[in-house]
Amino acid sequence: MELKNFIVDIPNYPEPGVIFRDITPILNNPSAFKMVVDQLAAYAIAQQATVIIAPGARGFLFGPAVSYVTNLRFVPVRKPGKLPRQVISAKYSYEYATNQLEMHVEDLKPHDRVLIVDDVLATGGTAQAICELVKKQQAMIVGLAFVVDLTYLNGKKDLTAYPIKTLIEYSA
């Protein structure tokens, strides 16, 4: 089964000039979804992760499933105002906007081995912000895992300090 067959290109979304890679057909196909989760889970195990972190919203489609399959803790990263307890935050930029991410202060410990899971690696801004949050908690990043890598946006360039696993790549 070729996972790329489950990605739909949406031109000019969310704004002109952007090609949005829609991963929802993966979710609509149990075999494709299982394949993605199993591959990400195998990577988590190979990296000896102890915690899975994923950003809302689309990282939440895969991160908790990987956490469940591997029996590892899951830590959510959210946009401002979504988490009820004390948070730490990091700002970031991506293809067409800037934003901020937050994580609960007490969710990570210095001995934690973190795997960051997200749906798409584009410019790397979201991943960089999550890395910053993990470092603020003195935990170790053992890898980053993405379903799709938009290689033409060169998102890996500022993430070279970490092992990266991608399942699908687009060069244009």
Side-chain angles (χ1 to χ4, degrees), residues 67-127:
S67 177
Y68 174 78
V69 168
T70 58
N71 196 36
L72 297 175
R73 290 179 16 238
F74 177 74
V75 173
V77 173
R78 306 285 313 268
K79 291 187 177 162
K82 302 290 185 181
L83 296 172
R85 300 185 313 263
Q86 182 182 358
V87 297
I88 57 172
S89 62
K91 293 184 180 189
Y92 69 101
S93 298
Y94 53 102
E95 305 97 317
Y96 40 84
T98 60
N99 214 323
Q100 181 173 308
L101 292 176
E102 296 180 338
M103 176 175 56
H104 282 129
V105 169
E106 69 279 359
D107 279 355
L108 291 179
K109 307 293 182 251
H111 66 276
D112 286 330
R113 297 175 54 84
V114 175
L115 176 68
I116 299 166
V117 173
D118 204 357
D119 65 328
V120 175
L121 174 60
T123 63
T126 302

Side-chain angles (χ1 to χ4, degrees), residues 11-168:
N12 300 312
Y13 181 84
E15 63 182 47
V18 174
I19 299 173
F20 184 82
R21 309 291 180 173
D22 181 13
I23 53 89
T24 58
I26 291 173
L27 305 172
N28 288 322
N29 184 292
S31 296
F33 183 65
K34 182 177 182 341
M35 178 184 284
V36 167
V37 172
D38 287 349
Q39 287 182 40
L40 297 177
Y43 185 63
I45 291 166
Q47 296 305 109
Q48 300 178 344
T50 59
V51 178
I52 304 297
I53 289 183
R58 292 187 313 267
F60 284 8
L61 300 171
F62 301 101
V66 171
S67 177
Y68 174 78
V69 168
T70 58
N71 196 36
L72 297 175
R73 290 179 16 238
F74 177 74
V75 173
V77 173
R78 306 285 313 268
K79 291 187 177 162
K82 302 290 185 181
L83 296 172
R85 300 185 313 263
Q86 182 182 358
V87 297
I88 57 172
S89 62
K91 293 184 180 189
Y92 69 101
S93 298
Y94 53 102
E95 305 97 317
Y96 40 84
T98 60
N99 214 323
Q100 181 173 308
L101 292 176
E102 296 180 338
M103 176 175 56
H104 282 129
V105 169
E106 69 279 359
D107 279 355
L108 291 179
K109 307 293 182 251
H111 66 276
D112 286 330
R113 297 175 54 84
V114 175
L115 176 68
I116 299 166
V117 173
D118 204 357
D119 65 328
V120 175
L121 174 60
T123 63
T126 302
Q128 288 174 49
I130 297 170
C131 289
E132 184 180 326
L133 293 172
V134 171
K135 287 190 248 180
K136 285 181 181 181
Q137 297 292 357
Q138 300 176 335
M140 179 191 310
I141 299 162
V142 297
L144 296 97
F146 303 93
V147 178
V148 174
D149 180 2
L150 306 177
T151 60
Y152 56 92
L153 294 176
N154 204 18
K156 290 180 183 175
K157 73 177 170 18
D158 294 322
L159 300 169
T160 57
Y162 312 107
I164 298 175
K165 168 84 171 174
T166 60
L167 305 184
I168 304 166

